[in-house]
């Protein structure tokens, strides 16, 4: 009999699967003080929380029998993930349970915006009858741009089609075939800006999407565009949006999520052409039941069949395997991060190969780290080591892993190749005894590069003086070179440089480099400083 503690107010209907299962006993004790929770947590095999319970390291010190912490929702900020991982506790959430609620809220916000419903309601409630003041627009035959065609974006597109709207969809993983099957048109971000009457965003908040809708982007939009954000605060630059509203470039906006919450941007909140709500995407009876049902079913699966779908921390591995793989864990994720940056677009196919001694080991953990590095670039922190395979399949990306115990010039060697149409990106790496991690192959060129935070990849013609011109240009921008590696196919032909730098090389630096005669491309590649945690 497994004992489950529910320490927050969670839907009993959603917990039915656990209540009715003969192998589980559920204690529901919402509102427990931290000391009381700490005193009883050792009795339980699983803990289910929402956002009220703070699952701290102090509480987890007593959680000697706990195997699962389930967050009935998406965010896990109230759970000390590192402390849970150290204790070998799986942390799961319910990332897809609010899909329909979020999609329906988006449609409600769009309709409210198109027909001025909140302002008209407030006016009429005050006893006024201002029919001419609140003239709206129809959504029928208007063009809707959907930025982010994941589960929620797809549901929004489906509903908007029933309104007779024309849909332009943007997503790094959206293919022409899938767009055709959905009855929508695949588009670029600029095409959406130029053609859409309404724009709604449904992407994760990551480096590439933070401030995506900014002054520059809004200037490209169709005059009188209406913008909706029920995804994540920060995707839209709020001050830029206010400026565009004031100028009339943007006719109106409907915002459910904000850069800081509770929302504090009074110019935006009080703007007469803005509809605002307090982060209601998952605030429906059904969504709350679904999150409880989803975590209940997964808890049962974890204990009964050892099947895990939505863990947000590391899987457990044996101490012996961990010791052998440890030097490669960080390197594997770094390879994925570099490969996706080199490809510059979402892949259609991923190939991973292991050679030498590493091929004799169980490399699933390394493969998951590689895939995590690849997918996080576009999908953000929704990707973890447990769901990486599932998300790759979800995006329609084919993958293949091969092993060859024969050496390829190194004791152990890993290679990752990403394909998209005729384009490919290729990274090969190894651990050199006494020297550590090394990138030894980039796009079929042999190199010897230590993976560092700031890398610069340059394609150029093999002509005299190129190295000097690159170094001089970087010097003009006060950027110091740590190391430089060069590679070429033939004398006078195509060649590459890979440099490690003391700081970032973006924006004007890349523009300056690309202006050099004989230089084909300059790309800044960034690696995170964080190390990958492995459970004890």
């Amino acid at each position: 009999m497994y004992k489950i503690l529910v320490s927050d107010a969670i839907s009993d209907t959603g917990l039915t699967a656990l209540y009715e299962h003969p192998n589980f006993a559920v204690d529901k004790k919402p509102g427990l003080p931290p000391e009381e929770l700490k005193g009883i947590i050792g009795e339980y095999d699983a803990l289910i929380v929402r956002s009220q319970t703070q699952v701290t390291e102090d509480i987890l010190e007593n959680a000697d029998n706990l195997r699962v912490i389930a967050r009935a929702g998406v965010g896990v900020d109230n759970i000390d993930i590192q402390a849970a991982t150290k204790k070998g506790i799986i942390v799961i959430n319910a990332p897809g349970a609010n899909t329909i609620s979020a999609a329906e809220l988006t449609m409600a916000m769009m309709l409210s915006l198109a027909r001025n419903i909140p302002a008209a309601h407030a006016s009429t409630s005050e006893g006024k009858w201002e029919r001419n003041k609140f003239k709206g627009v129809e959504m029928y035959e208007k063009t809707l741009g959907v930025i982010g065609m994941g589960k929620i974006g797809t549901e929004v597109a489906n509903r908007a089609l029933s309104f007779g709207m024309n849909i332009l969809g943007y997503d790094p993983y959206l293919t022409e075939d899938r767009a055709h099957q959905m009855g929508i048109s695949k588009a670029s971000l600029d095409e959406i800006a130029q053609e859409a009457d309404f724009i709604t965003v449904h992407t994760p908040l990551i480096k590439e999407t933070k401030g995506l809708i900014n002054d520059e982007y809004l200037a490209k939009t169709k005059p009188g565009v209406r913008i909706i954000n029920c995804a994540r605060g920060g995707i839209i630059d709020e001050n830029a949006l206010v400026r565009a509203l004031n100028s009339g470039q943007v006719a109106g906006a409907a915002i459910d999520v904000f850069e800081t919450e509770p929302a504090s941007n009074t110019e935006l909140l009080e703007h007469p052409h803005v509809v605002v709500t307090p982060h209601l995407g998952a605030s429906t009876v059904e969504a709350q039941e679904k999150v409880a049902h989803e975590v209940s079913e997964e808890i049962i699966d974890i204990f009964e069949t050892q099947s895990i779908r939505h863990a947000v921390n590391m899987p457990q591995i044996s101490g012996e395997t961990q010791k052998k793989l440890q030097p490669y864990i960080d390197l594997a994720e770094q390879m994925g991060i570099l490969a996706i940056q080199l490809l510059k677009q979402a892949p259609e196919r991923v190939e991973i190969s292991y050679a030498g001694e590493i091929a004799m080991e169980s490399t699933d953990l390394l493969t998951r780290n590689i895939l995590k590095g690849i997918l996080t670039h576009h999908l953000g922190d929704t990707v973890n080591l447990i769901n990486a395979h599932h998300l790759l399949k979800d995006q329609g990306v084919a993958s293949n892993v091969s092993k060859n115990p024969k050496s390829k010039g190194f004791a152990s060697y890993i290679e990752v190749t990403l394909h998209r149409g005729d384009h490919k990106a290729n990274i090969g790496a190894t651990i050199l005894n006494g020297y550590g991690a090394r990138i030894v192959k980039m796009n079929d060129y042999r190199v010897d590069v230590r993976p560092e935070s700031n890398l610069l990849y340059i394609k150029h013609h093999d002509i005299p003086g190129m190295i000097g011109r690159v170094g001089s240009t970087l010097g003009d921008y006060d950027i110091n070179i740590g190391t430089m590696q060069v590679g070429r196919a033939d004398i006078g032909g195509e060649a590459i440089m890979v440099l490690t730098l003391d700081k970032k090389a973006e924006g004007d630096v890349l523009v300056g480099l690309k202006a050099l005669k004989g230089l084909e491309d300059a790309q800044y590649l960034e690696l995170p400083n964080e190390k990958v945690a492995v459970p004890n």
Side-chain angles (χ1 to χ4, degrees):
M1 180 70 69
Y2 302 111
K3 292 188 67 178
I4 314 298
L5 175 62
V6 180
S7 62
D8 283 329
I10 290 171
S11 165
D12 283 323
T13 302
L15 296 171
T16 300
L18 283 171
Y19 284 138
E20 295 181 349
H21 199 290
N23 295 336
F24 292 85
V26 180
D27 290 340
K28 193 171 183 182
K29 300 180 179 181
L32 286 172
E35 284 304 314
E36 190 173 342
L37 177 59
K38 182 179 178 180
I40 66 172
I41 193 67
E43 305 171 19
Y44 293 94
D45 300 285
L47 171 67
I48 302 177
V49 301
R50 284 192 67 193
S51 56
Q52 288 76 24
T53 300
Q54 299 298 308
V55 188
T56 62
E57 183 175 14
D58 183 51
I59 287 170
L60 291 176
E61 282 181 3
N62 287 6
D64 294 331
N65 294 315
L66 204 66
R67 287 175 55 188
V68 180
I69 301 170
R71 165 68 163 93
V74 180
V76 289
D77 294 346
N78 57 314
I79 301 169
D80 190 326
I81 303 295
Q82 185 174 0
T85 300
K86 286 180 180 178
K87 293 279 288 189
I89 301 167
I90 300 166
V91 181
I92 64 172
N93 64 352
N98 68 338
T99 297
I100 299 301
S101 291
E104 289 184 353
L105 178 66
T106 301
M107 296 305 296
M109 294 288 268
M110 202 183 314
L111 286 162
S112 297
L113 185 60
R115 299 305 299 269
N116 301 303
I117 293 173
H121 168 79
S123 171
T124 309
S125 296
E126 293 171 359
K128 300 176 184 177
W129 196 256
E130 301 176 298
R131 294 181 65 191
N132 293 330
K133 183 178 179 180
F134 301 113
K135 186 179 294 183
V137 296
E138 291 184 353
M139 290 163 55
Y140 178 65
E141 292 191 338
K142 297 296 193 302
T143 297
L144 171 65
V146 183
I147 299 177
M149 290 297 299
K151 290 180 180 178
I152 296 173
T154 297
E155 293 292 345
V156 169
N158 288 337
R159 283 155 178 74
L161 283 170
S162 70
F163 278 72
M165 301 187 82
N166 304 308
I167 312 298
L168 299 178
Y170 167 78
D171 192 285
Y173 289 91
L174 180 65
T175 63
E176 293 284 0
D177 285 345
R178 181 172 168 239
H180 179 72
Q181 290 170 6
M182 291 179 61
I184 71 173
S185 299
K186 181 183 175 183
S188 67
L189 288 170
D190 281 352
E191 286 169 338
I192 286 176
Q194 293 158 13
E195 300 177 33
D197 302 292
F198 293 80
I199 297 175
T200 179
V201 293
H202 299 285
T203 71
L205 181 64
I206 55 176
K207 178 185 174 184
E208 283 71 25
T209 62
K210 184 173 177 58
L212 178 69
I213 309 298
N214 53 22
D215 285 302
E216 182 183 358
Y217 189 78
L218 290 169
K220 300 176 187 177
T221 58
K222 193 173 180 179
V225 69
R226 289 170 170 82
I227 294 177
I228 302 95
N229 184 10
C230 296
R232 288 287 182 269
I235 297 172
I236 296 175
D237 181 328
E238 292 177 2
N239 293 324
L241 178 59
V242 169
R243 287 189 285 270
L245 285 160
N246 290 338
S247 72
Q249 178 70 14
V250 174
I255 309 295
D256 181 54
V257 288
F258 301 86
E259 291 178 9
T260 59
E261 294 183 357
S264 57
N265 189 330
T266 53
E267 268 196 285
L268 182 66
L269 296 174
E270 297 173 5
H271 200 284
H273 300 305
V274 174
V275 178
V276 289
T277 49
H279 203 145
L280 299 180
S283 295
T284 63
V285 171
E286 292 83 359
Q288 296 309 309
E289 289 180 357
K290 286 175 186 174
V291 293
H293 175 75
E294 195 168 300
V295 297
S296 296
E297 292 287 352
E298 185 154 0
I299 286 172
I300 292 169
D301 286 344
I302 289 171
F303 284 98
E304 299 281 289
T305 66
Q306 289 74 55
S307 172
I308 308 170
R309 296 184 301 278
H310 297 120
V312 297
N313 58 347
M314 287 276 290
Q316 296 184 61
I317 56 175
S318 71
E320 184 180 352
T321 300
Q322 177 183 326
K323 185 177 179 180
K324 291 178 180 177
L325 296 184
Q326 186 64 53
Y328 295 91
I329 290 173
D330 288 336
L331 179 59
E333 184 166 355
Q334 290 169 339
M335 291 176 71
I337 293 169
L338 289 175
I340 191 64
Q341 290 181 79
L342 278 177
L343 189 65
K344 299 183 182 179
Q345 54 191 323
E348 295 172 333
R349 189 169 84 256
V350 176
E351 294 178 356
I352 301 170
S353 64
Y354 300 94
E357 294 173 3
I358 196 75
M360 306 296 289
E361 302 296 334
S362 173
T363 55
D364 180 59
L365 178 61
L366 301 184
T367 298
R368 289 172 183 270
N369 270 286
I370 291 169
L371 296 180
K372 180 175 181 286
I374 294 167
L375 292 169
T376 299
H377 186 75
H378 290 113
L379 302 183
D381 57 10
T382 59
V383 187
N384 59 58
L385 296 179
I386 300 298
N387 66 12
H389 283 294
H390 175 76
L391 288 176
L392 192 76
K393 186 177 179 180
D394 247 13
Q395 302 303 325
V397 180
S399 63
N400 181 63
V401 177
S402 61
K403 293 186 174 186
N404 186 347
K406 292 183 179 180
S407 172
K408 288 194 175 183
F410 303 97
S412 292
Y413 176 74
I414 308 173
E415 187 164 312
V416 179
T417 305
L418 307 184
H419 298 266
R420 178 81 182 210
D422 295 331
H423 301 281
K424 77 169 187 175
N426 180 264
I427 296 286
T430 190
I431 301 290
L432 294 179
N433 190 24
Y435 295 93
R438 287 293 187 275
I439 304 299
V440 295
K441 187 178 182 182
M442 294 185 80
N443 284 348
D444 295 327
Y445 290 93
R446 293 294 177 184
V447 294
D448 181 7
V449 179
R450 181 179 174 181
E452 296 186 5
S453 298
N454 304 304
L455 300 176
L456 184 64
Y457 176 82
I458 293 175
K459 287 177 63 177
H460 63 95
H461 295 295
D462 182 31
I463 56 177
M466 180 59 73
I467 291 174
R469 287 194 286 274
V470 168
S472 178
T473 301
L474 290 172
D476 290 342
Y477 289 96
D478 196 32
I479 296 177
N480 195 43
I481 299 171
T483 64
M484 175 186 288
Q485 283 284 309
V486 296
R488 64 184 181 183
D490 300 296
I491 296 175
E494 190 178 82
I496 67 163
M497 296 182 210
V498 184
L499 301 86
T500 62
L501 307 176
D502 289 354
K503 61 182 181 181
K504 295 182 178 182
E506 298 179 294
D508 291 343
V509 181
L510 297 180
V511 172
L513 287 167
K514 291 174 184 178
L516 296 175
K517 182 181 178 182
L519 194 147
E520 292 182 18
D521 192 25
Q523 190 177 355
Y524 171 65
L525 307 174
E526 185 174 23
L527 288 173
N529 292 316
E530 296 85 358
K531 296 294 184 182
V532 178
V534 180
N536 295 324

